[in-house]
Amino acid sequence: CFIQMKILLNNSDLNEALHSVSNLGFVPTMGSLHNGHISLIKRCLKECKETIVSIFVNPNQFNNKYDYKKYPRNYKKDLSILKKLNVNFVFFPKKNDVYYYKRKFPIKINLNDHILCAKFRKGHFEGVLDVMERLTKIIKPQKIYMGEKDFQQLYLVKKHISKIFKSKIISCKTIRDKNKLALSSRNLLLNKAEISKAGKIARDLIFFKKKLIKKKNYKTLLLNKKKELINLHNIKIDYLELRNISNLKSTVQIRKSKLFIAYYINRVRLIDNY
Ligand code: AMP
């Protein structure tokens, strides 16, 4: 049956709307919604009595001004998507709604976790953990739905949030297009040729990871694959690494591992894992 979606523009709207809600599922996003987000939202709708989606392009998690400025914003389209999905609440906070109090202690990422994107994007995950703590505090959801596409984010948020709140983090599979490119709001910044290049890279790495099962000497194979991708596609690669999925430690074992990549096509940074 049809329900009227409530648009919450600030904390008092939110508190008023949520005061009697139990079994609430939360899908945090930065908007420019695509089928990746939609799969999280559909799962939330199925598993929770009520669903809230937030749209907030969090300035504090961008380590690069250009990236923040260029980040795609499509609020009108987002709203119409959310309405059609029958989401109960959409939260559109302003910066002051999220950052209305000062933290007592700054967020610190463990030295062991200064790997992958934490190594290449200084301050990024500190910004992510801070905003996730703030949103969870305001919204108090039973469950929070997040994508494996951002695997390291999921890993760090799970660790951080479970220390403070009862909210459960639910991890959701990566949604890809027909060429295997992981959906991402940043794909909107790529032209057709670049989209097709990114799809080729994804298919290449999915196949490469499968073949690793029978091989030895991963370090050299990974290094060679990195060089090959750079030469073939004229891209800049931050990292291409095999890591254990439960602790993100470097590994040479294919079991319970994922292959992680971050790279730039022109100035657009893409990440994925296989
Ligand atoms: P973002 O709007 O990029 O911050 O993403 C919001 C949430 O959607 C995060 O939990 C992401 O991991 C998730 N997400 C983004 N892209 C995908 C995708 N292709 N498949 C599944 N989840 C995704």
Side-chain angles (χ1 to χ4, degrees):
C1 71
F2 182 77
I3 45 151
Q4 178 91 43
M5 180 175 78
K6 284 205 178 106
I7 301 174
L8 314 171
L9 295 173
N10 51 53
N11 290 347
S12 57
D13 283 1
L14 182 101
N15 292 332
E16 194 177 317
L18 297 185
H19 80 275
S20 61
V21 172
S22 59
N23 192 358
L24 179 65
F26 170 36
V27 185
T29 83
M30 299 207 297
S32 285
L33 303 178
H34 50 66
N35 282 334
H37 300 116
I38 291 171
S39 76
L40 266 55
I41 295 167
K42 283 190 171 158
R43 179 148 174 215
C44 185
L45 285 163
K46 207 154 68 184
E47 297 179 358
C48 303
K49 203 163 151 235
E50 314 234 17
T51 291
I52 180 166
V53 175
S54 69
I55 298 182
F56 180 56
V57 183
N58 173 32
N60 293 3
Q61 74 185 67
F62 286 83
N63 52 315
N64 174 317
K65 269 193 184 150
Y66 176 85
D67 189 25
Y68 177 64
K69 204 172 141 221
K70 287 281 167 183
Y71 197 85
R73 291 158 172 91
N74 295 290
Y75 299 134
K76 274 202 179 142
K77 191 174 166 211
D78 290 346
L79 276 182
S80 92
I81 291 173
L82 294 172
K83 256 187 204 145
K84 277 190 200 126
L85 287 169
N86 260 347
V87 162
N88 305 84
F89 309 101
V90 50
F91 185 38
F92 259 120
K94 292 271 182 303
K95 211 181 157 190
N96 280 343
D97 295 298
V98 178
Y99 295 98
Y100 70 92
Y101 65 93
K102 206 170 167 268
R103 301 189 64 80
K104 285 209 182 108
F105 303 101
I107 301 262
K108 273 247 157 45
I109 308 251
N110 282 342
L111 222 52
N112 291 339
D113 288 329
H114 276 261
I115 53 167
L116 304 173
C117 287
K119 185 169 144 196
F120 285 91
R121 297 185 71 189
K122 288 262 150 24
H124 166 64
F125 286 121
E126 287 83 350
V128 169
L129 296 186
D130 188 20
V131 78
M132 282 304 300
E133 183 182 323
R134 288 167 182 276
L135 290 171
T136 308
K137 196 190 196 92
I138 308 174
I139 295 171
K140 302 177 192 76
Q142 268 61 53
K143 290 178 178 165
I144 304 173
Y145 291 79
M146 301 184 72
E148 284 180 6
K149 151 83 170 42
D150 303 278
F151 198 87
Q152 190 179 14
Q153 165 175 285
L154 180 63
Y155 170 82
L156 292 173
V157 169
K158 228 182 219 171
K159 264 214 277 198
H160 185 74
I161 291 297
S162 67
K163 269 190 238 160
I164 315 176
F165 303 103
K166 285 194 186 132
S167 311
K168 218 176 145 213
I169 308 282
I170 312 291
S171 54
C172 305
K173 290 266 166 270
T174 301
I175 305 299
R176 300 175 180 281
D177 71 9
K178 61 179 190 309
N179 292 318
K180 299 290 182 205
L181 171 61
L183 299 185
S184 162
S185 304
R186 284 197 177 82
N187 295 351
L188 291 169
L189 303 171
L190 303 174
N191 64 32
K192 246 185 164 178
E194 292 166 337
I195 291 271
S196 126
K197 184 188 279 194
K200 261 190 201 143
I201 293 168
R203 293 197 300 282
D204 188 338
L205 290 176
I206 290 167
F207 186 63
F208 174 74
K209 167 90 194 307
K210 269 194 192 140
K211 280 196 314 189
L212 277 185
I213 297 172
K214 293 182 196 150
K215 302 236 160 99
K216 287 187 181 130
N217 209 348
Y218 292 155
K219 282 254 154 74
T220 319
L221 288 172
L222 280 169
L223 219 63
N224 289 343
K225 179 50 80 181
K226 197 170 156 183
K227 281 185 200 151
E228 183 192 310
L229 289 175
I230 291 170
N231 292 333
L232 209 59
H233 299 292
N234 189 26
I235 54 172
K236 179 176 166 272
I237 298 184
D238 274 351
Y239 56 77
L240 177 67
E241 294 176 20
L242 195 70
R243 288 185 175 268
N244 180 283
I245 51 167
S246 48
N247 54 25
L248 288 188
K249 285 204 171 105
S250 253
T251 181
V252 287
Q253 274 195 317
I254 209 78
R255 253 190 84 237
K256 296 199 172 162
S257 78
K258 269 180 178 282
L259 183 60
F260 292 88
I261 190 168
Y263 67 97
Y264 287 85
I265 296 187
N266 292 325
R267 290 178 81 172
V268 182
R269 190 175 191 273
L270 301 175
I271 59 170
D272 203 348
N273 58 82
Y274 316 93

